[in-house]
Amino acid sequence: MEACLRRSGKRLFSPSLLSSSSKSIYPLSSGYWADSIRNVSTVSIKGAGNIARKGTGGRSSVSGIVATVFGATGFLGRYVVQQLAKMGSQVLVPFRGSEDSHRHLKLMGDLGQIVPMKYNPRDEKSIKAVMAKANVVLNLIGREYETRNYSFEEVHHSMAEHLAVIAKEHGGIMRFIQVSCLGASASSPSRMLRTKAASEESVLRVFPEATIMRPGTVIGTEDRVLNRWAQFVKKWGFLPLIGDGSTKIQPVYVVDVAGAIVASLKDDGSSMGKVYELGGPEIFTVHELAELMFDMIREWPRYVNVPFPIAKAIASPREFLLNKVPFPLPTPAIFNLDHINALTMDAVVSENALTFNNLGIVPHKLKGYPVEFLSCYRKGGPSFGATASEKMNSSDI
């Protein structure tokens, strides 16, 4: 009896019988049942080639983009990954640190959309492995200070050029986006900005269709500007203003930068081979940005003006000893020599540059929601005290 059931079961669930019987009711097309094909769109992603989209949009859809995001575990990277995953893209996340360095990213997409892949940035084979199935490459790798193992030249220039060469040889990479910095120039007093400018030149030479993004000072919950200032104020009670805080900058909200990167992938290819300068809607001096920080943490502004020569003298010993001692040196915070050199020149959007407007994005003003994360530094809790504007409104009543 058991043998009969087994034989009949084999006949009943035979793949050939199953497929032949289903063809008469639901004809197959591209390996999917016809009832599921009703939810499939044939609209292609503009700027990303003739790639079929599936679904109506959202995390559980398939946008057709398979993006390898180098630097995804960094500050800007998490926002780029979130926006890519939100539209149904598969994101390959190369990481070189511990297994915990990418775990916060896996929650941003549907099951299987965020794929962590361990790699070595100095190993060509591992780079090719993380690019193998991609059709889009984003390079967000960057450092604001040097270490004993990685110099500005290697991190910003050599790695970017290497990634562009491998992406070009790949043959299936339709878009390459290189994230640089506002103010990047071969004549900049900052070595970081000089290497960023060199990386732009190398990437466009190797991959002429690449898109270059130059964001200004990026502000957000995990930023390394307002957070460091607030931490310094909470510890010491004052904020050093380098060069009297008169340098002009154009800070930008991190969500807007991520949105601009994703918008360039959705266009009709018009952003290919172009350079975009991404500055916020307002120009601040460093002093004015510090005033905004003090207003949000509800502390009385206290400053110590530090002239550039003195600031450079304070920051120089680390750079001098970096490769001369057999142990790692502390991470520079406010007194970062390269950052001090960068502050000797204004960093604002050029007059005829391509900006957010060319990508259809209206950037946020900083005052308000983009800097509300600073409320965690208020000494009496998030509801402690009142801002200057709130005091003014209450006095009018």
Side-chain angles (χ1 to χ4, degrees):
M1 182 67 177
E2 223 173 287
C4 292
L5 286 173
R6 281 199 299 269
R7 285 195 298 271
S8 62
K10 286 180 182 178
R11 288 196 301 271
L12 182 60
F13 296 105
S14 170
S16 59
L17 289 174
L18 187 60
S19 60
S20 61
S21 61
S22 62
K23 283 179 183 177
S24 60
I25 305 174
Y26 302 109
L28 289 174
S29 176
S30 302
Y32 291 92
W33 301 104
D35 55 349
S36 66
I37 290 188
R38 288 177 300 179
N39 297 323
V40 178
S41 172
T42 58
V43 179
S44 61
I45 297 289
K46 292 183 178 180
N50 189 17
I51 303 171
R53 295 182 60 180
K54 302 178 180 66
T56 56
R59 298 182 194 276
S60 297
S61 301
V62 178
S63 70
I65 293 175
V66 181
T68 300
V69 183
F70 291 93
T73 56
F75 170 37
L76 174 60
R78 68 184 64 200
Y79 292 90
V80 173
V81 169
Q82 188 270 339
Q83 294 210 23
L84 285 171
K86 187 177 180 180
M87 60 186 285
S89 305
Q90 186 175 36
V91 185
L92 309 179
V93 178
F95 70 98
R96 65 179 183 88
S98 69
E99 297 292 335
D100 292 334
S101 63
H102 56 76
R103 64 180 182 178
H104 60 286
L105 301 175
K106 297 190 73 174
L107 304 174
M108 296 179 179
D110 206 351
L111 186 64
Q113 278 187 277
I114 312 298
V115 185
M117 302 181 72
K118 197 170 183 66
Y119 90 118
N120 180 355
R122 290 170 172 155
D123 181 16
E124 185 176 342
K125 289 184 179 179
S126 69
I127 295 175
K128 288 182 176 179
V130 297
M131 277 194 202
K133 296 184 179 180
N135 53 28
V136 170
V137 173
L138 290 79
N139 181 26
L140 314 182
I141 297 175
R143 297 296 294 268
E144 58 182 2
Y145 59 90
E146 291 183 298
T147 64
R148 296 169 64 222
N149 296 324
Y150 289 98
S151 66
F152 284 140
E153 176 65 30
E154 181 178 10
V155 172
H156 297 148
H157 184 198
S158 300
M159 285 186 186
E161 184 177 22
H162 198 195
L163 294 180
V165 169
I166 294 174
K168 194 66 176 178
E169 292 175 351
H170 182 286
I173 304 299
M174 301 175 185
R175 301 299 300 272
F176 188 101
I177 295 182
Q178 169 73 17
V179 176
S180 184
C181 289
L182 192 62
S185 169
S187 60
S188 173
S190 164
R191 289 184 57 230
M192 183 195 75
L193 294 178
R194 290 200 300 270
T195 54
K196 283 287 190 180
S199 70
E200 294 178 12
E201 184 181 349
S202 297
V203 167
L204 288 175
R205 184 180 66 252
V206 174
F207 205 115
E209 304 86 3
T211 303
I212 308 295
M213 297 289 181
R214 290 181 176 176
T217 301
V218 183
I219 302 299
T221 306
E222 306 86 2
D223 71 30
R224 302 182 184 94
V225 181
L226 298 183
N227 277 300
R228 285 180 178 171
W229 290 357
Q231 290 164 7
F232 193 96
V233 169
K234 297 300 291 183
K235 185 175 182 179
W236 301 104
F238 69 92
L239 180 68
L241 274 184
I242 298 172
D244 296 333
S246 58
T247 306
K248 292 181 180 179
I249 57 176
Q250 203 162 345
V252 59
Y253 188 33
V254 63
V255 174
D256 296 330
V257 179
I261 292 172
V262 174
S264 69
L265 296 177
K266 294 179 181 179
D267 66 17
D268 56 0
S270 58
S271 63
M272 297 173 72
K274 294 181 179 178
V275 179
Y276 291 84
E277 296 190 0
L278 308 178
E282 300 169 299
I283 296 176
F284 292 80
T285 62
V286 173
H287 180 265
E288 289 170 345
L289 188 60
E291 287 285 325
L292 179 61
M293 182 272 299
F294 272 111
D295 190 49
M296 285 305 301
I297 67 173
R298 295 175 180 175
E299 294 279 352
W300 189 262
R302 297 181 182 89
Y303 303 103
V304 173
N305 291 327
V306 184
F308 281 114
I310 296 176
K312 291 178 183 179
I314 296 172
S316 293
R318 181 188 183 275
E319 306 304 316
F320 177 76
L321 297 172
L322 185 61
N323 294 312
K324 293 180 173 61
V325 294
F327 51 85
L329 294 173
T331 300
I334 291 180
F335 291 99
N336 178 345
L337 182 59
D338 200 81
H339 179 61
I340 294 168
N341 288 331
L343 285 176
T344 59
M345 295 184 66
D346 296 339
V348 296
V349 173
S350 306
E351 185 177 352
N352 298 318
L354 298 173
T355 63
F356 281 112
N357 292 334
N358 301 98
L359 294 169
I361 293 178
V362 179
H364 293 76
K365 291 187 176 181
L366 284 193
K367 191 168 184 179
Y369 176 73
V371 293
E372 281 186 354
F373 66 91
L374 291 171
S375 62
C376 67
Y377 294 102
R378 296 171 186 169
K379 63 182 178 182
S383 301
F384 174 79
T387 63
S389 58
E390 287 172 346
K391 289 177 182 177
M392 187 179 298
N393 293 334
S394 62
S395 64
D396 294 338
I397 297 175

